[in-house]
Amino acid sequence: MWLRAAVAAGRGLPGMAGRRWRSGAGSPERAAAERAPRIYTRTGDSGFSSTFTGERRPKGDRIFEALGATDELSSAIGLAGEFSSEKGHTFVDQLHKVQCMLQDVGSNIATPLSSAREAHLKRTSFSKKPILELEQWIDSYSEQLPPLRAFILPSGGRSSAALHLSRAVCRRAERCVVPLVQAGEADPNVAKYLNRLSDYLFVLARYAAMKEGKEEKIYIKPEP
């Protein structure tokens, strides 16, 4: 996750700067293969990993907990997106955009403010614009949904259920990020984005069920 966050932040890969393919040095495919970094680095074998600012912290550090939750969230949304694409839902492009934004969320989390320099902050800042966009999407779908009159259980078909699962993972990611924000290590806009994202995923799950004509199961209090 850290490698992906670094690339998303524009840091690139160590030792790759300035390398170019030269004619006569083999095919472009071979040159690309020679430049490609190994998936494994062995640098985390001792239980430590690096932040974007270069700090080495234990893998159990709350920064990496938050990064892991964010990565899991993107994976869950990817699964929901595949189910939704099979049903022809038009919001799939929005889910892809959200996944891209989560890479930026990860970049910000991987850049603890306590050790960040100005150059780091310029690359990993997180604005309010994505939050406002989520709110617009929420309002748009909410206007098309029937009133919420009962507690809805995750259900309503594969697309809807997967979106509900994504919502639950998003809540956990938010819970991991909030302590970082409170400690002054992450941008408050990151926590706000995750908060709105869980609302968006909830509304979208209901919308998917409605469009597919699937029934949403509701909570029924058991008989005493």
Side-chain angles (χ1 to χ4, degrees), residues 130-164:
I131 302 170
L132 298 176
E133 184 173 51
L134 282 178
E135 291 177 349
Q136 291 173 354
W137 292 349
I138 292 169
D139 292 341
S140 175
Y141 291 119
S142 295
E143 291 172 356
Q144 304 175 59
L145 292 172
L148 189 61
R149 303 186 186 282
F151 188 89
I152 294 174
L153 303 176
S155 56
R158 293 202 302 175
S159 301
S160 179
L163 288 164
H164 275 297

Side-chain angles (χ1 to χ4, degrees), residues 6-221:
V7 173
R11 184 185 187 188
L13 299 170
M16 298 303 296
R19 290 191 185 181
R20 296 184 180 178
W21 176 76
R22 299 187 299 276
S23 60
S27 68
E29 293 79 7
R30 180 178 178 181
E34 292 175 350
R35 291 198 303 267
R38 289 178 176 176
I39 295 300
Y40 60 90
T41 64
R42 300 192 179 101
T43 58
D45 289 352
S46 60
F48 287 79
S49 192
S50 298
T51 67
F52 183 39
T53 58
E55 287 184 81
R56 295 287 290 174
R57 295 194 181 197
K59 289 190 174 183
D61 189 276
R62 57 189 179 183
I63 283 180
F64 298 120
E65 288 286 347
L67 284 172
T70 304
D71 191 23
E72 186 179 346
L73 171 58
S74 182
S75 298
I77 290 175
L79 180 62
E82 291 301 313
F83 287 153
S84 301
S85 180
E86 291 174 359
K87 293 295 184 178
H89 288 297
T90 57
F91 56 72
V92 172
D93 287 343
Q94 291 180 356
L95 293 178
H96 179 252
K97 187 171 185 178
V98 167
Q99 286 182 291
C100 292
M101 290 307 308
L102 289 176
Q103 289 297 114
D104 293 339
V105 166
S107 296
N108 188 274
I109 295 170
T111 311
L113 298 180
S114 60
S115 59
R117 298 190 299 273
E118 187 63 29
H120 294 132
L121 298 177
K122 286 182 179 179
R123 293 182 178 184
T124 62
S125 62
F126 199 90
S127 73
K128 293 181 178 180
K129 184 177 179 180
I131 302 170
L132 298 176
E133 184 173 51
L134 282 178
E135 291 177 349
Q136 291 173 354
W137 292 349
I138 292 169
D139 292 341
S140 175
Y141 291 119
S142 295
E143 291 172 356
Q144 304 175 59
L145 292 172
L148 189 61
R149 303 186 186 282
F151 188 89
I152 294 174
L153 303 176
S155 56
R158 293 202 302 175
S159 301
S160 179
L163 288 164
H164 275 297
L165 176 61
S166 299
R167 171 190 56 78
V169 177
C170 186
R171 288 294 193 190
R172 175 154 53 83
E174 181 188 2
R175 292 194 300 272
C176 290
V177 168
V178 165
L180 296 176
V181 172
Q182 293 174 338
E185 292 281 47
D187 193 316
N189 283 333
V190 168
K192 292 177 184 178
Y193 181 80
L194 292 173
N195 180 272
R196 299 303 188 282
L197 179 56
S198 63
D199 292 335
Y200 165 74
L201 292 169
F202 175 75
V203 170
L204 201 60
R206 296 198 64 213
Y207 179 81
M210 181 188 72
K211 295 296 286 186
E212 293 178 23
K214 301 289 187 179
E215 180 184 0
E216 293 179 297
K217 293 183 174 63
I218 63 171
Y219 167 72
I220 300 175
K221 189 175 180 61

